[in-house]
Amino acid sequence: MSELILEQASDDLIANEADVYPSRKGQNAKLIGRQDPIVYTSKEQGPPVDRSLINTYNKQGFVVLDEVFTPDEVTIFQKELERLGADQQIQQSVEVITEPSSNDVRSIFRVHESSLIFKALAADERLADLARYLLDDEVYIHQSRLNYKPGFRGKGFYWHSDFETWHVEDGMPRMRACSMSIILTENFDNNGRLMLIPGSHKQYLVCQGKTPEDHYLASLKKQEYGVPSNDSLKTLAAQSGIVSATGKPGSVVVFDCNVMHGSNGNITPFPRSSAFFVYNALSNKVVNPFCAQAPRPEHICSREYIHPVQRSQGCKLNA
Ligand code: 6CS
Ligand code: FE
């Protein structure tokens, strides 16, 4: 049997037999237990941040690291965010998602490859070392995006678990990934900040319905599949409430791939922009999608270009 057929057979085996988190397979919505650790690292290795922050992450499913990046570094990120958002050529590319009710830029994907500054940021030890610690493995960027959440008409992101989408639509086998959202503009109470349900990462929410073809073309503007039923959301929220994760520009929201989160729209004049990197353990590389659809494109889910994030000594950023 040729190497290729063997490899495909093993992927199929993984994709078909090891679907321990089946969702959107016609069942009713329900909550099942998480079958993976949250913090993978063995105890003797010291964390790169205060142990109390690791404990909060483990318990809540997220933690806010205050002002990790200096104001000067944030200015560099903001200028790059504005440059990319204003670039006519980039605006026409597939990597840009516009707002559903305007042509405002909603997100730009794959910036860890297309922007030298965000490539350096993704590899910065203040982020990547923490991801390696939490996942106890080398890591690669599964997805990166700039979220502009523009003022006046920035639409929200309905409640969802990222992992449910990445498992079903991208073929991410297990919960061994974490996201880091670097706050680039002031998060106020009212400009569409990130809301999370603490502790929700410990249960997997099986979603009803079936994944439509090319679902990402709609879901990245307005997600309607792979979202919780009202009852399951009520159950999760009743268990531990809903909190907002805010912080000054330069702060980082670190969250487990399976924590339930969402954000409101933004009708204030103040954009709520962030840079978002998803670190996946190298041992948890995506296989075939667990839904019967074609894999999502490379700019949304790294599949062809999977390489470990190189160790760096801080962002090599030219002001
Ligand atoms: O579908 C995805 O991969 C993206 N969708 C959302 C709303 N959050 C995670 C991710 O960026
Ligand atoms: Fe999300």
Side-chain angles (χ1 to χ4, degrees):
M1 198 185 263
S2 83
E3 197 62 30
L4 190 62
I5 295 175
L6 263 179
E7 193 181 307
Q8 184 58 47
S10 72
D11 269 0
D12 286 349
L13 190 67
I14 294 171
N16 298 332
E17 289 184 18
D19 187 356
V20 295
Y21 293 110
S23 182
R24 296 188 235 173
K25 291 205 165 163
Q27 325 97 312
N28 291 331
K30 62 180 175 180
L31 287 162
I32 62 174
R34 178 183 184 120
Q35 301 169 59
D36 293 300
I38 299 160
V39 177
Y40 280 77
T41 290
S42 44
K43 293 289 168 273
E44 59 276 5
Q45 185 188 358
V49 296
D50 191 282
R51 165 76 62 190
S52 65
L53 296 168
I54 302 293
N55 295 342
T56 300
Y57 174 87
N58 191 56
K59 181 167 179 279
Q60 290 196 141
F62 63 93
V63 67
V64 178
L65 309 181
D66 288 321
E67 300 180 78
V68 172
F69 297 97
T70 65
D72 285 351
E73 287 174 316
V74 172
T75 302
I76 293 169
F77 305 150
Q78 286 172 336
K79 283 193 177 133
E80 180 70 349
L81 176 91
E82 284 151 22
R83 181 186 73 79
L84 294 169
D87 183 309
Q88 299 285 330
Q89 202 178 350
I90 291 178
Q91 283 178 5
Q92 304 311 315
S93 75
V94 288
E95 291 154 355
V96 171
I97 302 289
T98 53
E99 286 292 339
S101 61
S102 72
N103 264 334
D104 293 343
V105 173
R106 177 175 170 89
S107 305
I108 301 180
F109 281 85
R110 211 178 62 88
V111 291
H112 68 287
E113 296 283 5
S114 63
S115 156
L116 289 176
I117 286 176
F118 288 117
K119 186 182 184 78
L121 177 55
D124 187 280
E125 59 183 357
R126 291 165 281 187
L127 304 179
D129 282 358
L130 177 56
R132 291 184 197 104
Y133 176 83
L134 293 172
L135 305 175
D136 197 21
D137 199 350
E138 288 305 311
V139 294
Y140 74 93
I141 301 293
H142 164 72
Q143 180 186 100
S144 67
R145 66 192 280 184
L146 297 178
N147 283 325
Y148 284 75
K149 191 60 84 83
F152 306 111
R153 287 177 298 279
K155 290 284 178 272
F157 291 88
Y158 192 69
W159 291 105
H160 61 282
S161 149
D162 292 341
F163 176 76
E164 193 275 347
T165 291
W166 297 337
H167 179 74
V168 169
E169 298 190 52
D170 295 336
M172 185 183 282
R174 304 303 288 248
M175 295 179 185
R176 194 167 184 173
C178 67
S179 299
M180 299 199 186
S181 179
I182 298 90
I183 296 175
L184 299 182
T185 57
E186 195 73 45
N187 276 218
F188 299 105
D189 284 352
N190 45 32
N191 66 335
R193 60 186 180 178
L194 182 64
M195 298 183 292
L196 305 109
I197 299 183
S200 57
H201 61 310
K202 295 176 183 171
Q203 298 175 86
Y204 179 67
L205 198 140
V206 174
C207 295
Q208 67 269 29
K210 290 248 183 210
T211 309
E213 212 166 307
D214 292 334
H215 179 225
Y216 68 95
L217 294 173
S219 68
L220 295 176
K221 283 180 181 278
K222 188 167 182 279
Q223 186 166 351
E224 296 181 71
Y225 289 84
V227 292
S229 64
N230 293 350
D231 286 349
S232 34
L233 196 65
K234 274 184 206 159
T235 305
L236 283 175
Q239 285 169 355
S240 41
I242 294 174
V243 299
S244 292
T246 57
K248 291 268 177 232
S251 300
V252 181
V253 186
V254 186
F255 52 112
D256 176 79
C257 58
N258 183 47
V259 71
M260 189 58 66
H261 66 286
S263 62
N264 286 319
N266 180 15
I267 56 171
T268 73
F270 315 111
R272 188 197 48 104
S273 305
S274 56
F276 174 82
F277 299 112
V278 183
Y279 296 88
N280 191 22
L282 210 51
S283 55
N284 192 41
K285 265 185 263 189
V286 292
V287 296
N288 295 328
F290 287 92
C291 64
Q293 300 291 353
R296 297 201 297 175
E298 190 70 22
H299 64 277
I300 294 179
C301 163
S302 299
R303 186 175 298 275
E304 301 305 318
Y305 303 103
I306 287 182
H307 43 84
V309 171
Q310 297 305 309
R311 280 173 163 68
S312 85
Q313 305 307 321
C315 265
K316 298 200 175 19
L317 293 162
N318 306 315

